Amino acid sequence: MILGTLKKLSIRRTSQAYMVEGGVIEWLAGAFHSEATLSEYAKYSSIALLFNLSLCPMGKKRCEPLKVELISGLGRLLQQQDSKISPYVNGILYRILSITSVKEYAKEQSLPNALRKLMTKTDGEPKKQLETILELFVTDVQIEDGSSDEEDDDQENDNLETEIDSNDSVTCDSNEISGEDLLQLFCDHKGEGQSEKVESPTHSIGNADSASVL
């Protein structure tokens, strides 16, 4: 439920900033790299959340020092050939492979060869997506980071969020804190507790089962 809530909030630019600064990308990268046991719901929500966060310039930049974890984890997810998550995995790869250091590391790990092998097992849109990713290894494609017009962005996302909520069976009581207020409370609490020793997200996720993640 928490992952699903974060995924919904991550379509808003202000929420993206809170999550990126709060270390959510590092948390997700650690989960995928450590092969944490996730339910199908948790896996889908996590990869969709990472995709949304990678779309903003701040999130994309945060991915660069995590290239080892991300290339390893995303490559493993691609091998599963899960039609529900593959578009998100491909989208994240397309974003982060435009970063020179990430692309060079991916080459060292033979990611292009792995993508070519996958192409022989796919067709249609998934195959086109893989072809587009492979083009990044032979051309210097410049990927736009999107508009800086936050007002238009938030208005569009408000409409999308309403549409998503209309199909969501999970709701909160009227007296419960939710949405961006809940996210802000989490960030404030985290800031106050920085002086305390906190277990590494990668370590804790690696020892957690799917129920504890949710």
Side-chain angles (χ1 to χ4, degrees):
M1 180 176 175
I2 293 176
L3 283 170
T5 300
L6 290 176
K7 176 174 69 71
K8 283 190 203 177
L9 288 170
S10 67
I11 64 176
R12 298 178 62 88
R13 186 163 300 180
T14 51
S15 299
Q16 288 175 349
Y18 285 138
M19 292 184 212
V20 171
E21 288 297 332
V24 173
I25 291 180
E26 286 82 357
W27 189 85
L28 293 169
F32 294 130
H33 179 61
S34 65
E35 300 185 70
T37 302
L38 301 173
S39 67
E40 288 301 310
Y41 170 80
K43 182 169 65 173
Y44 168 75
S45 296
S46 296
I47 199 65
L49 172 58
L50 182 57
F51 171 74
N52 288 344
L53 296 181
S54 72
L55 291 177
C56 69
M58 184 189 306
K60 177 183 172 182
K61 184 176 181 180
R62 202 71 168 246
C63 289
E64 183 172 6
L66 299 168
K67 56 182 178 288
V68 174
E69 292 86 350
L70 289 173
I71 294 301
S72 170
L74 294 174
R76 193 178 299 114
L77 288 173
L78 271 182
Q79 296 298 327
Q80 296 179 12
Q81 294 185 280
D82 186 331
S83 60
K84 191 173 183 180
I85 67 171
S86 288
Y88 294 104
V89 176
N90 292 338
I92 297 167
L93 284 173
Y94 186 72
R95 287 288 295 170
I96 66 176
L97 287 173
S98 65
I99 304 172
T100 301
S101 63
V102 178
K103 181 166 61 177
E104 290 304 314
Y105 177 77
K107 284 182 180 179
E108 294 173 5
Q109 301 303 308
S110 301
L111 181 61
N113 291 336
L115 294 176
R116 292 187 188 97
K117 289 180 180 178
L118 277 176
M119 285 176 58
T120 64
K121 304 175 184 178
T122 59
D123 52 22
E125 186 60 29
K127 186 173 183 178
K128 290 180 181 178
Q129 292 175 358
L130 294 176
E131 289 174 345
T132 302
I133 295 172
L134 278 170
E135 289 178 3
L136 294 174
F137 290 99
V138 295
T139 60
D140 293 326
V141 178
Q142 297 297 319
I143 300 176
E144 296 292 335
D145 283 327
S147 170
S148 60
D149 191 338
E150 295 189 14
E151 184 176 347
D152 290 345
D153 179 75
D154 283 344
Q155 182 177 0
E156 179 181 350
N157 286 332
D158 282 341
N159 296 333
L160 179 58
E161 191 170 2
T162 301
E163 181 180 344
I164 293 173
D165 287 339
S166 66
N167 297 317
D168 194 348
S169 59
V170 179
T171 58
C172 64
D173 295 333
S174 58
N175 60 343
E176 288 183 327
I177 299 176
S178 61
E180 291 188 347
D181 291 334
L182 179 60
L183 183 60
Q184 179 64 61
L185 181 63
F186 166 76
C187 292
D188 291 343
H189 177 72
K190 181 176 180 181
E192 293 172 358
Q194 283 183 342
S195 59
E196 300 178 5
K197 183 177 180 181
V198 180
E199 187 179 16
S200 165
T202 302
H203 177 74
S204 61
I205 294 172
N207 293 305
D209 56 21
S210 59
S212 63
V213 171
L214 293 176

